[in-house]
Amino acid sequence: VVDQVKPWVASITVESLIRGFLYDFTDESSGSGFVVSPDGYVVTNFHVVEGARDIMVHLPEGKSYKASVAGGDRVTDIAVLKIDAQNLPNATFGDSDRLNVGDWVITVGNALALRGGPTVALGIVSGLGRTINTERGQFYGLIQTDAAINSGNSGGPLINLAGQVVGINQAMQREATGIGFAISSSTAAPIIDSLIEHGRVVRPLIGLIGQDVTPAISNELRLTVTDGVVVSAMSRDGPAYQAGIRIGDVITKIDDIATPDTAEFLTRLWAYEIGDLIQVEYYHNNKPMVASVELIERP
């Protein structure tokens, strides 16, 4: 499997200009990526290339290419780079929705920027549909794995034993051992397609931030529901507020389809088009309510 995937796994080096109080200086960092098309499109994490002024993509056959950012999406932490190359070996995507906890997976990437080729680690799927909070924001629907994800192999592929990409390595938990996270291929694939075609991702906006109902939150707010999304913040000029939804309300369904957690809520929400009118079922002070919300474009 490693021999099969090595030809399309890339290491990425980035040079950024850091503006200091007294003088500016150059910072160098590294990450990983993988080729997704023969004509030179390479996927990595958005945080790997954010703010970079010089990006180089290094492929296993020994060639290095200057890269430009074709598009980036901060919400999912995905970026697509473009290099001037043709006839490249490229990755194929597997169906992450078919993963089960306990399945074997492999991470491949430029861990710690070590010389001598990519670092390979074997592990299992430890959890699915995870939500984590980071300094870059909140991320949903992630694959949790105990296969090593270290500094430098962010943006590299998480692959199954058929050599297919089922995730994009994204984050590790520094305070824990054997806990890393990857963006699922089912989430990433349409984002990548949109970034290649349009250079950006067009999403509908409902105008709220939510978090999963947990036993602790349910007890604190004295909720009568055990599943759903608690509204934790919202914009007063957003569609949800205008429709009557408020902070502390618990959203349980969109168009009669259950939204038991934030990942499912966002998956449902982002399947709609700008201007669609959706029916949101929610609880306000433990009373069931329904609101009609017209979605607008996310900035």
Side-chain angles (χ1 to χ4, degrees), residues 81 177-178 191 213:
L81 309 179
T177 300
I191 301 296
V213 172

Side-chain angles (χ1 to χ4, degrees), residues 7-265:
W8 42 259
V9 176
S11 63
I12 298 170
T13 53
V14 174
E15 185 177 284
S16 304
L17 182 66
I18 307 297
R19 299 193 177 277
F21 183 71
L22 296 176
Y23 58 89
D24 299 339
F25 61 95
T26 299
D27 180 53
E28 294 184 352
S29 59
S30 62
S32 302
F34 55 97
V35 180
V36 292
S37 69
D39 56 344
Y41 285 101
V42 179
V43 168
T44 187
N45 285 148
F46 181 79
H47 76 262
V48 169
V49 297
E50 183 177 14
R53 69 174 185 178
D54 189 47
I55 305 169
M56 296 295 295
V57 172
H58 312 279
L59 296 181
E61 83 278 10
K63 288 187 178 181
S64 296
Y65 301 86
K66 188 175 180 62
S68 59
V69 178
D73 182 49
R74 183 178 281 105
V75 174
T76 53
D77 196 26
I78 295 173
V80 175
L81 309 179
K82 182 67 172 71
I83 60 176
D84 186 13
Q86 297 292 330
N87 302 317
L88 296 175
N90 61 279
T92 57
F93 283 94
D95 185 0
S96 60
D97 290 339
R98 299 182 65 180
L99 285 176
N100 295 299
V101 173
D103 284 352
W104 291 103
V105 284
I106 300 171
T107 62
V108 185
N110 186 29
L112 304 178
L114 298 172
R115 293 173 60 89
T119 294
V120 179
L122 176 69
I124 63 168
V125 174
S126 307
L128 295 166
R130 299 300 201 202
T131 298
I132 62 171
N133 292 293
T134 75
E135 64 275 10
R136 299 185 303 276
Q138 196 172 49
F139 298 101
Y140 313 95
L142 301 178
I143 300 167
Q144 180 185 331
T145 178
D146 65 354
I149 298 176
N150 295 296
S151 176
N153 65 349
S154 289
L158 181 74
I159 60 176
N160 60 21
L161 296 188
Q164 300 169 322
V165 176
V166 291
I168 303 173
N169 302 327
Q170 182 190 32
M172 59 180 175
Q173 289 294 89
R174 300 182 191 279
E175 67 274 16
T177 300
I179 298 181
F181 297 95
I183 307 158
S184 68
S185 61
S186 60
T187 296
I191 301 296
I192 293 167
D193 290 342
S194 183
L195 292 175
I196 291 174
E197 185 174 355
H198 305 293
R200 66 191 186 100
V201 180
V202 178
R203 286 194 185 87
L205 176 75
I206 194 171
L208 61 83
I209 297 174
Q211 60 186 106
D212 297 351
V213 172
T214 64
I217 289 175
S218 181
N219 182 63
E220 180 183 350
L221 300 180
R222 298 180 180 178
L223 302 176
T224 56
V225 292
T226 56
D227 292 313
V229 177
V230 182
V231 179
S232 56
M234 61 192 318
S235 169
R236 286 181 173 269
D237 56 358
Y241 190 90
Q242 299 297 323
I245 299 172
R246 296 294 183 265
I247 291 175
D249 292 349
V250 181
I251 297 173
T252 56
K253 291 183 180 180
I254 296 179
D255 283 343
D256 206 34
I257 297 178
T259 56
D261 52 38
T262 309
E264 187 65 30
F265 172 75

